Amino acid sequence: MPRTLTSVLRLSSVALALCTGAATAQEDCLKVMTFDWSATLIADPARVVNNSDLLHVNAAYEPLVVFDNNFTVSPWLAESFTQSKDGLEWTFVLKDGITFHDGAPLTSADVVYTYRRLLDPATASPAAAELGMITADGITAPDARTVVFRTAKPVAQLPLLLATKYALIVRDGSTSESLARQSDGTGPYVIADFKADAPRTVLQRNPAYWQKGKPAAPCLELSGSADPISRASAIQSGDADLLIAADASTLPLLQADPGIALLEAKGALMMTMVMMVDQPPFDDVRVRQALKLVVDRAAMVQLVTLGFGVPGNDNPVPPTSPLAVSDQALPRDLEKARALLAEAGHPDGLTVDLWTGATDLVPGMNVMVQAYKEMAAEAGITVNVMTAPSNSFWDDVWMKQPFSVSYWYTRHPVSSFSLAFRSDAQYNETHWRDPAFDALLDDAATATDPAAAADLYRQAQTRIMTEGGQIAPVFASLVAAMRKGCTGYVPHIESRVMFQDITCD
Amino acid sequence: MSADARLARSPLPVSLVLGGLLSGSILLVALIGPWVAPYGPSQLGTGAPLSGISLAHPFGVDQLGRDVFSRVLHGAWLVLVLSLSGTVLGFLAGGILGLVSGQRGGWFDWLVMRGCEVLISIPILVTALLVVALVDTQTIAPLPLIIGVIGFVYAPRIARMARSAAIEVATRDYVTAARLRGDSGLRIALVEILPNVSGILLVELALRAAYAPVLVASLGFLGFGLSPPTPEWGMIIAENRGLIFITPITVLGPGLMLAVLVVGINLLTEGIARVIGRSVVRTT
């Protein structure tokens, strides 16, 4: 039966391609497929939204520095970077011999322009908030290959913040309009004849790319499909060489295919249930603790991600991170949960409403909710699953109902804590306001000793784990599927793709 | 010839027997399902997740390790109750509106019929989704909402049918006599007209009831129905949609049950229509 259905799907996708007259793929192109193809593609790195946008700009532009899945930063267009003794200045020296697509050499003026453009409110880049501790005047270029970032107080994680996905170096003077016409980056592929509403895009190799002999493919074809089954079918039939994210439900199918390799970035997506700590009954810390204690985290990982994930410990740092308090999952303790509930005045159990989207907000979300409902029932907690239309969930339910689901892509604590847990955080979904916690974050951000900073972040995590309003049982992996015969792709926690390294035979 | 005499003379139509058997079997499942189901509707860990068809799990096991067969058994009554109550609601509202409208005539009839035509011109599922989207789902419980939605989309269709039947009967002498007697419009509609159009309306009711389970399941499938983990069939199909290549039975099982129910009620409708000497007019 599966074979027949696959054949039907393949035939229909071929028929669809013929009918729509979509740009015909060149046979020797590297074909990469994503899960969310935007109806209005964006080719400006400063303003990317969807994964499809990110793929375009990752192919044509490159960053000053990059971070790996453990948030270790290394230079990319930079050759080296150093921090001054007082911790206020970071100096980046650029690699020599790198040119833009139009042949002009990369200079420090381009880097200064790129970061000043990100900070400019007129650009409307989400990066402006992340780079809040830098001012436009603080970015200077003493010579053609050196860039200096100066901050008012020491920022230990500045290179990490500079590696934000929006910070890809563009030519001095570029605008959103000029970038939408023709890419002018240093990346391995060139975007020409860009159409924002194209169903697929073909990019040509940059013949003057600075890494000699790369990229291997003469062209790169980008496309996307929101339907998990169509994506799985595309890679099985050879219509795609690489799927950026395979849906958990199709993983057993892809796993069984000898022609496909699965690659996993662990701890990429945190799935959570958030309680507002100032709303009853969640305003009692014992209730929050009881609601956390009922979770069987190992079982949750199996059910929600089919094993392609790691357990979470109710805070945004995955246990796979070197910054985590522990690499072990918190244990389940139903007796203690019942005792805490009784102490909090609920000896006969508790009933709560948990809000989620009518359809999965991310794959596996409603599996998590239903599993949680059953796990909580064993401790006398009745969880009523309430659903709202998924397209209006973030506007009407999230941060409005006292107990709802949420999810976050994994970030370094310097970003994740500031975004969702600091007292004045824009997305403080748990209403967590704790001056002692804020002080820990401030101390960690300015600590020049990495070990001391890590210790402060662990203390901050512990506060959220024990008293906060976040139940985070699962970190789902980002699982990419690659056709056998292709090499060079490493799944990145922030979905960054190093296209120049991918080759297929 | 009375229906009884007809039944006594000729054998029952095949469609009536087959339809009765099929819909009867689903009715039986709805009545005893929750007591005979091997597992609870949302019981986790009943078998290895995503394991296929087996004697212990005839419809396979879903991602959460729940037995899909048990979920289908537990959900049968829900599908029937939602479909039938929604249809009856639409039947009552549309029937009364149509009868009164046909009997009264004039501007009232014109207004009601134009309103019904506007609603009928929009496809059923689109109207249903519009209503669900407009209603504040955070305050209205999903069960009455779905019943109300089915009633709302069916009422104008039934009203039009009832009106045309009523107009035909309204010209008869005994209706004119009642009018001359000074009976009220509602009384004429209920006492004089209704008994004489009941055959047509009965067939219309059964026909609408046949499509209602599909509407309920469509709403559930699209995520506009009940909340998880309610074992409504459309929701079970939606939940397991991604597993169609891995364990197709988790989708085909509930789909098959839905098909049996819909085909069963359709055949039954046709059979009843034949017995009472009416033809079935299928409209959307």
Side-chain angles (χ1 to χ4, degrees):
Chain A
M1 173 61 79
R3 200 173 286 271
T4 321
L5 284 172
T6 315
S7 312
V8 170
L9 248 165
R10 276 175 204 161
L11 275 174
S12 51
S13 70
V14 169
L16 193 71
L18 287 172
C19 294
T20 53
T24 317
Q26 295 175 27
E27 271 311 304
D28 41 4
C29 274
L30 171 66
K31 294 182 284 272
V32 178
M33 195 173 198
T34 181
F35 55 97
D36 64 341
W37 190 263
S38 169
T40 322
L41 294 168
I42 296 168
D44 178 355
R47 296 170 60 190
V48 291
V49 177
N50 293 63
N51 190 257
S52 51
D53 307 335
L54 198 62
L55 292 183
H56 282 83
V57 299
N58 275 186
Y61 302 89
E62 293 178 294
L64 185 65
V65 282
V66 290
F67 61 83
D68 65 12
N69 288 346
N70 288 325
F71 300 106
T72 308
V73 182
S74 50
W76 189 260
L77 289 179
E79 189 175 73
S80 64
F81 57 87
T82 48
Q83 188 179 18
S84 65
K85 283 224 168 70
D86 62 4
L88 297 174
E89 265 185 19
W90 286 87
T91 305
F92 293 79
V93 179
L94 301 181
K95 285 194 174 100
D96 202 11
I98 296 178
T99 56
F100 283 97
H101 293 158
D102 68 354
L106 168 76
T107 68
S108 52
D110 304 307
V111 178
V112 172
Y113 175 78
T114 299
Y115 280 97
R116 283 186 177 167
R117 182 169 175 264
L118 290 173
L119 293 172
D120 184 354
T123 313
S125 172
E130 286 182 74
L131 300 172
M133 67 295 299
I134 314 170
T135 59
D137 296 339
I139 312 168
T140 50
D143 63 55
R145 283 185 56 206
T146 311
V147 184
V148 177
F149 291 84
R150 188 170 176 83
T151 52
K153 53 185 182 181
V155 182
Q157 301 295 344
L158 191 78
L160 188 76
L161 294 167
L162 294 177
T164 166
K165 65 181 175 187
Y166 305 100
L168 301 177
I169 307 303
V170 297
R171 266 297 291 285
D172 187 0
S174 303
T175 61
S176 268
E177 291 73 33
S178 71
L179 296 173
R181 280 194 301 276
Q182 172 82 41
S183 67
D184 201 3
T186 60
Y189 291 95
V190 182
I191 306 174
D193 196 22
F194 176 75
K195 285 188 183 65
D197 59 351
R200 61 179 68 205
T201 309
V202 179
L203 292 83
Q204 300 300 324
R205 173 165 52 196
N206 172 10
Y209 187 59
W210 57 277
Q211 290 191 41
K212 296 298 166 217
K214 291 182 180 180
C219 50
L220 167 69
E221 185 196 315
L222 301 174
S223 65
S225 167
D227 182 45
I229 297 167
S230 303
R231 288 205 301 280
S233 183
I235 192 145
Q236 285 193 307
S237 64
D239 284 345
D241 296 316
L242 171 68
L243 292 187
I244 292 301
D247 196 90
S249 65
T250 57
L251 290 179
L253 178 75
L254 297 173
Q255 220 168 6
D257 191 325
I260 291 168
L262 295 180
L263 306 159
E264 191 179 359
K266 283 191 184 292
L269 178 92
M270 175 177 68
M271 295 162 77
T272 67
M273 292 166 277
V274 288
M275 308 173 268
M276 292 182 178
V277 300
D278 53 1
Q279 299 290 318
F282 313 110
D283 52 352
D284 189 322
V285 69
R286 292 166 297 193
V287 170
R288 302 200 291 273
Q289 288 168 342
L291 285 163
K292 292 175 182 181
L293 282 167
V294 300
V295 185
D296 180 342
R297 290 158 205 272
M300 208 52 126
V301 171
Q302 281 304 321
L303 293 173
V304 176
T305 68
L306 298 172
F308 287 91
V310 290
N313 282 336
D314 302 333
N315 81 85
V317 183
T320 45
S321 163
L323 291 172
V325 173
S326 161
D327 59 359
Q328 297 299 310
L330 290 170
R332 188 187 198 205
D333 193 339
L334 294 176
E335 279 311 308
K336 196 171 170 191
R338 280 196 204 95
L340 281 165
L341 281 181
E343 269 179 46
H346 307 285
D348 303 322
L350 176 71
T351 301
V352 290
D353 290 348
L354 171 58
W355 284 86
T356 183
T359 48
D360 274 339
L361 297 164
V362 285
M365 183 65 97
N366 288 351
V367 169
M368 173 180 80
V369 168
Q370 294 180 68
Y372 182 71
K373 177 185 168 75
E374 299 306 315
M375 289 174 182
E378 290 180 49
I381 302 167
T382 307
V383 177
N384 294 325
V385 178
M386 312 295 284
T387 54
S390 296
N391 54 359
S392 60
F393 176 86
W394 301 107
D395 293 328
D396 297 341
V397 176
W398 181 60
M399 292 187 66
K400 292 194 172 66
Q401 289 293 342
F403 192 25
S404 78
V405 299
S406 180
Y407 74 90
W408 290 86
Y409 285 101
T410 301
R411 294 166 164 86
H412 186 276
V414 71
S415 298
S416 58
F417 287 163
S418 310
L419 273 167
F421 290 95
R422 191 182 264 283
S423 297
D424 57 355
Q426 189 180 358
Y427 303 118
N428 191 343
E429 49 189 7
T430 58
H431 292 191
W432 171 255
R433 291 183 182 89
D434 177 9
F437 176 84
D438 294 349
L440 284 171
L441 294 193
D442 290 338
D443 292 348
T446 52
T448 43
D449 174 17
D455 184 53
L456 290 162
Y457 281 128
R458 286 194 192 99
Q459 289 180 43
Q461 278 171 65
T462 308
R463 288 191 82 83
I464 300 178
M465 285 164 71
T466 51
E467 293 177 35
Q470 186 181 63
I471 306 171
V474 178
F475 280 84
S477 302
L478 184 70
V479 186
M482 192 157 64
R483 195 168 56 76
K484 285 266 169 72
C486 298
T487 54
Y489 174 67
V490 181
H492 187 256
I493 207 158
E494 212 183 26
S495 297
R496 176 162 293 173
V497 183
M498 300 293 193
F499 284 105
Q500 69 282 347
D501 295 331
I502 308 173
T503 57
C504 291
D505 49 42
Chain B
M1 188 190 300
S2 75
D4 285 346
R6 194 187 292 265
L7 282 178
R9 275 208 203 154
S10 58
L12 288 173
V14 180
S15 52
L16 185 75
V17 177
L18 198 58
L21 276 177
L22 291 179
S23 21
S25 61
I26 299 286
L27 184 67
L28 187 71
V29 167
L31 289 173
I32 64 166
W35 286 274
V36 299
Y39 303 99
S42 47
Q43 189 180 336
L44 306 183
T46 64
L50 313 186
S51 56
I53 190 165
S54 68
L55 216 56
H57 305 286
F59 289 174
V61 181
D62 69 7
Q63 191 175 338
L64 273 161
R66 298 177 298 196
D67 177 42
V68 177
F69 184 64
S70 298
R71 282 177 67 68
V72 169
L73 293 189
H74 280 278
W77 72 268
L78 255 175
V79 179
L80 283 184
V81 165
L82 286 173
S83 320
L84 295 180
S85 352
T87 311
V88 168
L89 180 70
F91 179 75
L92 289 177
I96 292 173
L97 201 64
L99 289 182
V100 173
S101 179
Q103 189 273 132
R104 274 193 66 168
W107 66 268
F108 179 80
D109 180 42
W110 188 89
L111 204 67
V112 169
M113 281 307 112
R114 295 303 84 77
C116 287
E117 278 157 16
V118 167
L119 288 173
I120 291 171
S121 66
I122 310 170
I124 285 189
L125 192 58
V126 176
T127 318
L129 291 179
L130 274 174
V131 176
V132 177
L134 288 175
V135 167
D136 184 4
T137 47
Q138 296 192 23
T139 49
I140 299 183
L143 214 75
L145 176 65
I146 294 172
I147 294 172
V149 165
I150 297 171
F152 181 77
V153 296
Y154 278 178
R157 289 165 170 82
I158 292 167
R160 209 162 67 151
M161 184 68 85
R163 175 197 177 254
S164 57
I167 283 177
E168 193 196 329
V169 177
T171 53
R172 302 272 167 88
D173 291 344
Y174 55 85
V175 178
T176 314
R179 206 169 278 138
L180 291 172
R181 219 167 38 230
D183 285 2
S184 72
L186 189 64
R187 187 183 156 78
I188 295 172
L190 294 179
V191 178
E192 306 295 342
I193 299 178
L194 181 62
N196 291 294
V197 298
S198 57
I200 296 176
L201 293 184
L202 191 67
V203 173
E204 181 67 13
L205 173 72
L207 200 60
R208 292 292 158 201
Y211 292 113
V214 178
L215 188 56
V216 171
S218 303
L219 288 173
F221 181 83
L222 294 170
F224 288 94
L226 302 158
S227 299
T230 316
E232 188 272 307
W233 293 354
M235 277 177 65
I236 300 177
I237 295 173
E239 277 168 0
N240 298 330
R241 190 176 63 102
L243 312 177
I244 192 153
F245 288 137
I246 306 157
T247 56
I249 192 68
T250 54
V251 178
L252 298 179
L256 184 75
M257 295 289 277
L258 193 61
V260 167
L261 176 61
V262 173
V263 171
I265 306 181
N266 260 302
L267 287 173
L268 190 65
T269 310
E270 212 162 291
I272 293 172
R274 213 172 269 189
V275 168
I276 62 174
R278 301 272 178 194
S279 60
V280 176
V281 184
R282 291 177 198 279
T283 55
T284 55

